[in-house]
Amino acid sequence: MIRRGKPFIEVAYFLSRFGCSNPPENLQANSWKEAYRMFFEALNEGRSIETFEHSLKNARDSFDAHFPETNREGWKDKNGNLIKLSGLNLDVFNAFKMHNETTIWKNVKKYSRLDIEAHKQEIANLMAIEESETDFTYARTEGGVKVYISHKIERNASLRNAALKIHGYDCAVCGFNFKKTYGNWGAEWAEVHHLKPMGENRKIKRTTDPEFDLVVLCANCHRMMHRKKGIVLTVNELKSKIQDGSPSPHA
């Protein structure tokens, strides 16, 4: 578990004290989720986006009961009494309690990303990467076909080797071959991608056929397959996006 540092707790205090049903006005955020994500870049310390959001919300909740004017109950014990602050939470509470919103905002503003629209796209990109690195994903192709992607299968040595033996080492999308570019250092290397159309009943187990369910890709094309959260392209869909006359994606 990643320890919450002082800047993290300071932001949580700011969100709790100066936010009511909506986030503090200084953030100009439309939702609490959007507000939390504005601090992700500076304060995530290796957390995933989802974990960061939960952690910052929990840290905010620990202060909520101490600001009844926000109409959020926050953390209380089973008898409805305030849970006492301790450690960094108590230190920050005592340090900030005599300051106004303007002063505290100056202190936490440096941890925020206020270019909301640009940051939304960056977060979307990061979420797509995080999703592509989970063990499995339910998604759709660009054409709307429901698919199941299992990274456990992609990392399964026997299935991976079988797919490479069947398909070879050329990327199925752009044709890149690691050995042709890197010599012996790149010999017998490529990435394997799993993409299986999924029936309505997800509980039905299907075996993986390396000839039809696995495809060989280069690292660039593999990442582009997962470019957007919730969408995984097919080989043909990604091929159609390669611009005519464009240089090789590996040039």
Side-chain angles (χ1 to χ4, degrees):
M1 184 175 179
I2 300 173
R3 185 177 179 181
R4 297 166 181 165
K6 186 178 179 182
F8 192 100
I9 299 301
E10 290 175 344
V11 168
Y13 176 97
F14 172 78
L15 294 174
S16 176
R17 181 176 168 187
F18 302 111
C20 294
S21 57
N22 296 312
E25 290 185 4
N26 285 296
L27 297 177
Q28 298 182 354
N30 295 319
S31 67
W32 279 107
K33 185 180 287 289
E34 190 175 278
Y36 301 144
R37 291 177 179 179
M38 293 170 73
F39 297 96
F40 175 79
E41 185 175 324
L43 301 177
N44 74 82
E45 295 181 311
R47 298 175 179 88
S48 69
I49 295 171
E50 184 178 3
T51 299
F52 177 81
E53 291 170 359
H54 287 317
S55 186
L56 187 52
K57 179 184 183 300
N58 286 338
R60 186 209 69 179
D61 289 349
S62 69
F63 288 111
D64 281 350
H66 298 267
F67 303 116
E69 64 274 17
T70 65
N71 296 319
R72 288 193 309 273
E73 289 190 6
W75 292 354
K76 296 180 180 180
D77 63 23
K78 60 183 180 181
N79 297 316
N81 299 316
L82 293 180
I83 293 179
K84 292 183 179 180
L85 298 172
S86 61
L88 268 179
N89 289 47
L90 181 59
D91 292 342
V92 169
F93 185 88
N94 288 334
F96 279 180
K97 64 182 179 181
M98 299 304 293
H99 296 303
N100 61 23
E101 183 173 2
T102 300
T103 300
I104 298 174
W105 171 238
K106 287 181 180 178
N107 189 78
V108 303
K109 181 180 180 180
K110 58 181 175 287
Y111 305 121
S112 67
R113 281 287 302 272
L114 298 179
D115 51 339
I116 295 177
E117 292 307 313
H119 191 229
K120 278 183 180 179
Q121 185 58 57
E122 292 176 16
I123 289 290
N125 292 344
L126 287 173
M127 291 181 72
I129 291 172
E130 288 181 1
E131 182 182 83
S132 75
E133 292 173 346
T134 59
D135 282 336
F136 67 90
T137 304
Y138 298 121
R140 291 181 182 272
T141 67
E142 199 169 45
V145 176
K146 288 186 288 187
V147 292
Y148 172 82
I149 306 97
S150 172
H151 296 278
K152 282 185 177 180
I153 289 174
E154 292 175 12
R155 292 190 290 265
N156 181 297
S158 61
L159 286 173
R160 183 177 181 278
N161 291 337
L164 292 170
K165 185 176 181 179
I166 293 168
H167 301 296
Y169 294 88
D170 292 346
C171 175
V173 174
C174 71
F176 180 81
N177 181 290
F178 283 90
K179 183 177 181 180
K180 290 177 182 177
T181 299
Y182 300 107
N184 288 336
W185 184 261
E188 298 184 353
W189 178 260
E191 297 192 7
V192 171
H193 173 66
H194 173 270
L195 182 71
K196 181 183 291 187
M198 183 180 65
E200 292 296 332
N201 189 347
R202 295 178 178 176
K203 294 182 180 180
I204 296 177
K205 292 185 177 180
R206 295 172 54 192
T207 58
T208 296
D209 185 332
E211 182 175 1
F212 300 105
D213 297 326
L214 299 179
V215 63
V216 173
L217 298 173
C218 66
N220 281 3
C221 288
H222 200 182
R223 179 58 72 198
M224 286 295 98
M225 286 280 193
H226 299 274
R227 173 66 177 79
K228 294 187 178 181
K229 180 176 173 62
I231 297 177
V232 180
L233 300 181
T234 65
V235 168
N236 287 334
E237 285 173 342
L238 187 56
K239 277 185 176 180
S240 71
K241 297 186 183 301
I242 296 178
Q243 302 298 300
D244 292 338
S246 65
S248 164
H250 303 277

